[in-house]
Amino acid sequence: MQSDIISTVEFNYSGELLATGDKGGRVVIFQREQESKNRPHSRGEYNVYSTFQSHEPEFDYLKSLEIEEKINKIRWLPQQNAAHSLLSTNDKTIKLWKISERDKRAEGYNLKDEDGRLRDPFRITSLRVPVLMPMDLMVEASPRRIFANAHTYHINSISVNSDHETYLSADDLRINLWHLEITDRSFNIVDIKPANMEELTEVITAAECHPHQCNVFVYSSSKGTIRLCDMRAAALCDRQSKFFEEPEDPSSRSFFSEIISSISDVKFSHSGRYMMTRDYLSVKVWDLNMENRPVETYQVHEYLRSKLCSLYENDCIFDKFECCWNGSDSAIMTGSYNNFFRMFDRNTRRDITLEASRENSKPRAVLKPRKVSTGGKRKKDEISVDSLDFNKKILHTAWHPKENVIAVAATNNLYIFQDKIN
């Protein structure tokens, strides 16, 4: 398996940094270039800022299980000082990393020479005051904390709380609440594990903290439902405060209904009023005040509904697509196959399909909308459903928190697109 396949993409709070994690356990951070006088268009270009190995492959001897190093999620923490901090997690272990810059070094030590060797104390006849000398910029990543041994199952989500001092982590059956300063214990706030595992009917697929209310969080399930919980109600949130579920249309029921209704991602809007969920064929926007159905539903690739049988056979039906909001909550984005990604404008209800591929993404080239034809006569620019490449899938996308800059991960390539600058 390729170790450089991107497995998560995340902008920091200012959008100046963009982090990606990959299957090989590496984190690569890109920094946005400042505009310079001699290169007026360079603003918006992201260049590699720091690369480090976040996780290594491990082996659980008690369970005879290999724990892969793949980074499942990265979440930035709000910046408190000159350094940046992020959380990264693989299936089992969450790490807090600090990324800091050094452009000066101390010279003129009393007890050691410039090359680092200790001096003979009898040869030291005078005291020197060490001085700071400039040096080439170094970006260092250092692990500040390691949060381990709290998850029996694979971690699928981490989410930093709006109080900026706690965060939650979710696996298939449980959600834990951590304090960022405390690594040796966490509080279990959701546990859906049945006493008898043969009675297991659903698993947790994603979880997120509310952007403004530090006591509220949501989690989604493989049955297509979302539960909103309030930590003020009880220590163990096993009874949700709100339960979001769309009644199923019996006429469209099929063998695949349950699989394609599983939610692969849930995201609160920046305003905190709405949340968005992604299932296999659609994106739904829910108003937190209305539980019985979503207020908006967007079809991502409805033309695949007739292809579910072959997508089941090649396991694509289990792909977990993520979704994201733009900074003002007026548009949403999610990925599809054939390196396509979809954007929906919530105000005009217009939507567009774009492609992230090397062939059509020369720098500053304008992306052309793509169309998929479903049977019948294919128009000139359309692509037939049967020629879509299901190995090229866009699972991970991110939207700059303030501007129309997006990051799209297509297998092992990262594409960054921005609004046309006239």
Side-chain angles (χ1 to χ4, degrees):
M1 200 60 201
Q2 273 177 286
S3 68
D4 60 350
I5 291 178
I6 297 171
S7 52
T8 182
V9 186
E10 189 79 7
F11 280 101
N12 74 340
Y13 282 76
S14 67
E16 292 300 300
L17 298 178
L18 172 67
T20 65
D22 68 17
K23 267 199 149 72
R26 284 180 301 271
V27 171
V28 181
I29 298 175
F30 299 85
Q31 184 183 43
R32 195 173 195 182
E33 290 297 309
Q34 297 306 316
E35 193 164 356
S36 58
K37 287 202 169 61
N38 46 3
R39 293 181 60 216
H41 288 298
S42 67
R43 172 86 179 135
E45 284 182 20
Y46 283 80
N47 292 319
V48 175
Y49 176 64
S50 172
T51 304
F52 58 93
Q53 189 72 30
S54 169
H55 287 70
E56 303 280 355
E58 289 175 69
F59 192 79
D60 183 335
Y61 296 98
L62 294 175
K63 296 198 178 108
S64 291
L65 273 180
E66 281 187 63
I67 301 166
E68 51 170 5
E69 64 273 39
K70 172 182 162 226
I71 309 291
N72 291 341
K73 285 283 184 292
I74 289 173
R75 288 291 178 262
W76 290 91
L77 297 172
Q79 195 175 353
Q80 310 282 359
N81 50 29
H84 296 273
S85 304
L86 61 82
L87 290 167
S88 64
T89 185
N90 67 350
D91 284 340
K92 296 286 179 189
T93 306
I94 305 157
K95 297 185 181 181
L96 171 63
W97 290 89
K98 176 181 167 194
I99 296 99
S100 49
E101 294 184 357
R102 283 235 315 256
D103 60 354
K104 295 185 175 58
R105 66 163 191 263
E107 281 183 10
Y109 286 99
N110 289 292
L111 300 178
K112 56 186 181 192
D113 287 322
E114 297 309 328
D115 57 6
R117 283 182 309 193
L118 286 174
R119 292 169 67 186
D120 180 358
F122 298 108
R123 291 186 26 238
I124 301 173
T125 55
S126 62
L127 273 177
R128 296 192 286 183
V129 177
V131 290
L132 286 174
M133 301 294 283
M135 62 175 225
D136 287 344
L137 179 69
M138 259 175 62
V139 181
E140 295 177 319
S142 53
R144 302 301 297 214
R145 291 189 184 75
I146 294 177
F147 305 89
N149 305 326
H151 285 278
T152 314
Y153 307 97
H154 291 346
I155 299 173
N156 56 45
S157 309
I158 49 176
S159 178
V160 180
N161 209 338
S162 60
D163 60 13
H164 300 156
E165 55 181 38
T166 57
Y167 73 92
L168 59 78
S169 58
D171 67 23
D172 300 329
L173 297 178
R174 299 190 180 101
I175 301 178
N176 293 331
L177 181 71
W178 299 83
H179 194 288
L180 283 161
E181 303 287 332
I182 300 167
T183 56
D184 58 356
R185 64 180 183 273
S186 61
F187 291 99
N188 180 228
I189 53 174
V190 171
D191 186 346
I192 66 166
K193 182 175 185 239
N196 176 7
M197 279 296 265
E198 285 171 9
E199 294 166 8
L200 182 68
T201 58
E202 63 179 331
V203 293
I204 298 168
T205 55
E208 194 180 47
C209 295
H210 190 280
H212 313 302
Q213 297 164 1
C214 63
N215 46 283
V216 172
F217 67 96
V218 292
Y219 67 94
S220 59
S221 94
S222 55
K223 279 192 159 175
T225 62
I226 310 102
R227 290 172 172 85
L228 180 136
C229 303
D230 191 330
M231 288 185 261
R232 296 172 301 188
L236 188 66
C237 301
D238 44 8
R239 284 203 304 276
Q240 69 275 356
S241 308
K242 293 192 174 188
F243 182 71
F244 297 84
E245 181 178 29
E246 184 167 30
E248 190 186 29
D249 175 10
S251 65
S252 66
R253 177 144 187 86
S254 74
F255 169 74
F256 304 108
S257 294
E258 205 155 294
I259 303 174
I260 63 172
S261 67
S262 175
I263 291 173
S264 53
D265 196 18
V266 57
K267 292 266 174 41
F268 278 110
S269 63
H270 296 83
S271 68
R273 167 81 189 265
Y274 301 97
M275 69 180 169
M276 157 169 59
T277 57
R278 172 74 154 95
D279 56 43
Y280 190 64
L281 293 177
S282 65
V283 174
K284 294 173 181 167
V285 175
W286 303 77
D287 187 322
L288 292 191
N289 302 323
M290 188 167 94
E291 298 163 58
N292 57 347
R293 60 188 161 82
V295 287
E296 298 156 31
T297 301
Y298 301 96
Q299 302 306 332
V300 178
H301 37 217
E302 187 59 26
Y303 47 81
L304 296 183
R305 196 176 283 277
S306 58
K307 296 267 177 282
L308 292 176
C309 207
S310 50
L311 291 163
Y312 178 73
E313 281 164 9
N314 64 14
D315 274 355
C316 285
I317 201 167
F318 302 107
D319 284 335
K320 292 178 166 49
F321 291 95
E322 295 172 5
C323 50
C324 61
W325 299 86
N326 71 343
S328 63
D329 299 334
S330 63
I332 55 186
M333 168 170 62
T334 191
S336 179
Y337 293 104
N338 208 61
N339 281 350
F340 288 170
F341 59 99
R342 305 268 286 140
M343 297 165 110
F344 303 95
D345 184 315
R346 295 180 58 210
N347 301 324
T348 62
R349 292 303 172 104
R350 288 220 306 266
D351 65 286
I352 190 168
T353 304
L354 298 170
E355 182 181 359
S357 68
R358 290 206 156 154
E359 291 74 67
N360 62 11
S361 61
K362 313 255 181 314
R364 310 212 199 302
V366 177
L367 290 181
K368 285 205 283 291
R370 300 285 178 204
K371 284 221 163 36
V372 176
S373 78
T374 53
K377 202 161 175 305
R378 188 163 65 88
K379 296 200 185 80
K380 188 166 79 72
D381 285 340
E382 293 185 337
I383 294 137
S384 123
V385 177
D386 298 320
S387 59
L388 295 175
D389 186 341
F390 292 108
N391 292 318
K392 295 181 175 167
K393 50 192 94 169
I394 291 181
L395 303 175
H396 315 286
T397 59
W399 205 311
H400 189 293
K402 301 185 176 75
E403 298 174 34
N404 276 337
V405 175
I406 58 170
V408 173
T411 323
N412 54 353
N413 294 308
L414 178 71
Y415 295 92
I416 294 173
F417 302 112
Q418 62 177 354
D419 247 359
K420 248 193 346 239
I421 303 166
N422 299 330

mmCIF file of all heavy atoms in Angstrom, residues 404-405 417-421:
data_model
loop_
_atom_site.group_PDB
_atom_site.id
_atom_site.type_symbol
_atom_site.label_atom_id
_atom_site.label_comp_id
_atom_site.label_asym_id
_atom_site.label_seq_id
_atom_site.Cartn_x
_atom_site.Cartn_y
_atom_site.Cartn_z
ATOM 1 N N ASN A 404 -11.918 32.198 -0.216
ATOM 2 C CA ASN A 404 -12.264 31.118 -1.131
ATOM 3 C C ASN A 404 -10.999 30.434 -1.638
ATOM 4 O O ASN A 404 -10.589 30.573 -2.789
ATOM 5 C CB ASN A 404 -13.110 31.643 -2.284
ATOM 6 C CG ASN A 404 -14.570 31.714 -1.889
ATOM 7 O OD1 ASN A 404 -15.003 31.013 -0.972
ATOM 8 N ND2 ASN A 404 -15.331 32.559 -2.558
ATOM 9 N N VAL A 405 -10.374 29.707 -0.722
ATOM 10 C CA VAL A 405 -9.223 28.869 -1.043
ATOM 11 C C VAL A 405 -9.578 27.480 -0.537
ATOM 12 O O VAL A 405 -10.005 27.328 0.605
ATOM 13 C CB VAL A 405 -7.945 29.377 -0.333
ATOM 14 C CG1 VAL A 405 -6.785 28.423 -0.579
ATOM 15 C CG2 VAL A 405 -7.591 30.781 -0.808
ATOM 16 N N PHE A 417 -6.848 25.206 -4.766
ATOM 17 C CA PHE A 417 -7.505 26.079 -5.751
ATOM 18 C C PHE A 417 -7.958 27.349 -5.044
ATOM 19 O O PHE A 417 -8.294 27.324 -3.853
ATOM 20 C CB PHE A 417 -8.726 25.374 -6.348
ATOM 21 C CG PHE A 417 -8.419 24.067 -7.018
ATOM 22 C CD1 PHE A 417 -8.867 22.880 -6.472
ATOM 23 C CD2 PHE A 417 -7.695 24.018 -8.190
ATOM 24 C CE1 PHE A 417 -8.596 21.654 -7.081
ATOM 25 C CE2 PHE A 417 -7.411 22.811 -8.808
ATOM 26 C CZ PHE A 417 -7.861 21.617 -8.249
ATOM 27 N N GLN A 418 -7.969 28.457 -5.814
ATOM 28 C CA GLN A 418 -8.516 29.682 -5.222
ATOM 29 C C GLN A 418 -9.364 30.412 -6.257
ATOM 30 O O GLN A 418 -9.265 30.155 -7.440
ATOM 31 C CB GLN A 418 -7.408 30.573 -4.687
ATOM 32 C CG GLN A 418 -6.425 31.072 -5.732
ATOM 33 C CD GLN A 418 -5.397 32.001 -5.115
ATOM 34 O OE1 GLN A 418 -5.485 32.341 -3.954
ATOM 35 N NE2 GLN A 418 -4.416 32.410 -5.883
ATOM 36 N N ASP A 419 -10.196 31.321 -5.738
ATOM 37 C CA ASP A 419 -11.041 32.125 -6.582
ATOM 38 C C ASP A 419 -10.180 32.870 -7.615
ATOM 39 O O ASP A 419 -9.067 33.291 -7.296
ATOM 40 C CB ASP A 419 -11.765 33.182 -5.733
ATOM 41 C CG ASP A 419 -13.243 32.906 -5.716
ATOM 42 O OD1 ASP A 419 -13.653 31.936 -6.352
ATOM 43 O OD2 ASP A 419 -13.971 33.663 -5.059
ATOM 44 N N LYS A 420 -10.753 33.079 -8.795
ATOM 45 C CA LYS A 420 -10.031 33.833 -9.806
ATOM 46 C C LYS A 420 -9.706 35.224 -9.310
ATOM 47 O O LYS A 420 -10.549 35.936 -8.791
ATOM 48 C CB LYS A 420 -10.898 33.937 -11.058
ATOM 49 C CG LYS A 420 -10.319 33.162 -12.195
ATOM 50 C CD LYS A 420 -10.926 33.438 -13.549
ATOM 51 C CE LYS A 420 -12.217 34.179 -13.591
ATOM 52 N NZ LYS A 420 -13.282 33.399 -14.266
ATOM 53 N N ILE A 421 -8.434 35.620 -9.468
ATOM 54 C CA ILE A 421 -8.045 36.997 -9.125
ATOM 55 C C ILE A 421 -7.889 37.744 -10.439
ATOM 56 O O ILE A 421 -7.054 37.384 -11.251
ATOM 57 C CB ILE A 421 -6.721 37.012 -8.333
ATOM 58 C CG1 ILE A 421 -6.865 36.166 -7.079
ATOM 59 C CG2 ILE A 421 -6.323 38.434 -7.997
ATOM 60 C CD1 ILE A 421 -5.545 35.835 -6.424
#
